[in-house]
Amino acid sequence: CGNTDCVVIAPDNSQRPILDSYSAGTWAAAEDNGFVCLPAAGYRNGSSVSYVGDRGFYWSSTAYDSSNACRVYFGIGIVYPDDYHYRRWGYSVRLVTDIK
């Protein structure tokens, strides 16, 4: 990722372990095998931006209810893969594609 504060996600069928750090070559091979890096991008609420480089907030594609959407949230040493929050907040969206 070029960022030390991130979460690395491996595909379900991966035989490769997730490492604590990657060289450029090791990461290129992992990425070619479907690994994804989510950097600690923080979030936006109105004109305020918070937690950039410290925590990551990413929307999933699922609505929780009419006011909230599901999200993945991570901070220092913890990951919440099934949390939700107000849909009006500006979280990142990580676009991915299937490996062919």
Side-chain angles (χ1 to χ4, degrees), residues 27-89:
W27 177 251
E31 196 171 36
D32 287 346
N33 283 286
F35 282 54
V36 174
C37 176
L38 302 178
Y43 67 87
R44 182 188 53 78
N45 184 11
S47 62
S48 175
V49 178
S50 302
Y51 299 112
V52 174
D54 184 53
R55 299 177 191 170
F57 301 84
Y58 287 82
W59 289 125
S60 78
S61 59
T62 306
Y64 182 80
D65 58 27
S66 62
S67 299
N68 298 285
C70 296
R71 69 177 181 174
V72 172
Y73 158 72
F74 65 89
I76 300 167
I78 194 158
V79 176
Y80 294 98
D82 58 355
D83 198 17
Y84 66 92
H85 210 274
Y86 299 121
R87 293 167 48 162
R88 68 178 186 264
W89 285 37

Side-chain angles (χ1 to χ4, degrees), residues 7-29:
V7 168
V8 174
I9 301 172
D12 291 339
N13 63 351
S14 177
Q15 300 298 315
R16 294 176 177 257
I18 295 177
L19 306 174
D20 288 336
S21 64
Y22 292 85
S23 67
T26 304
W27 177 251

Side-chain angles (χ1 to χ4, degrees), residues 86-98:
Y86 299 121
R87 293 167 48 162
R88 68 178 186 264
W89 285 37
Y91 292 167
S92 299
V93 176
R94 175 72 165 124
L95 303 177
V96 297
T97 185
D98 290 332

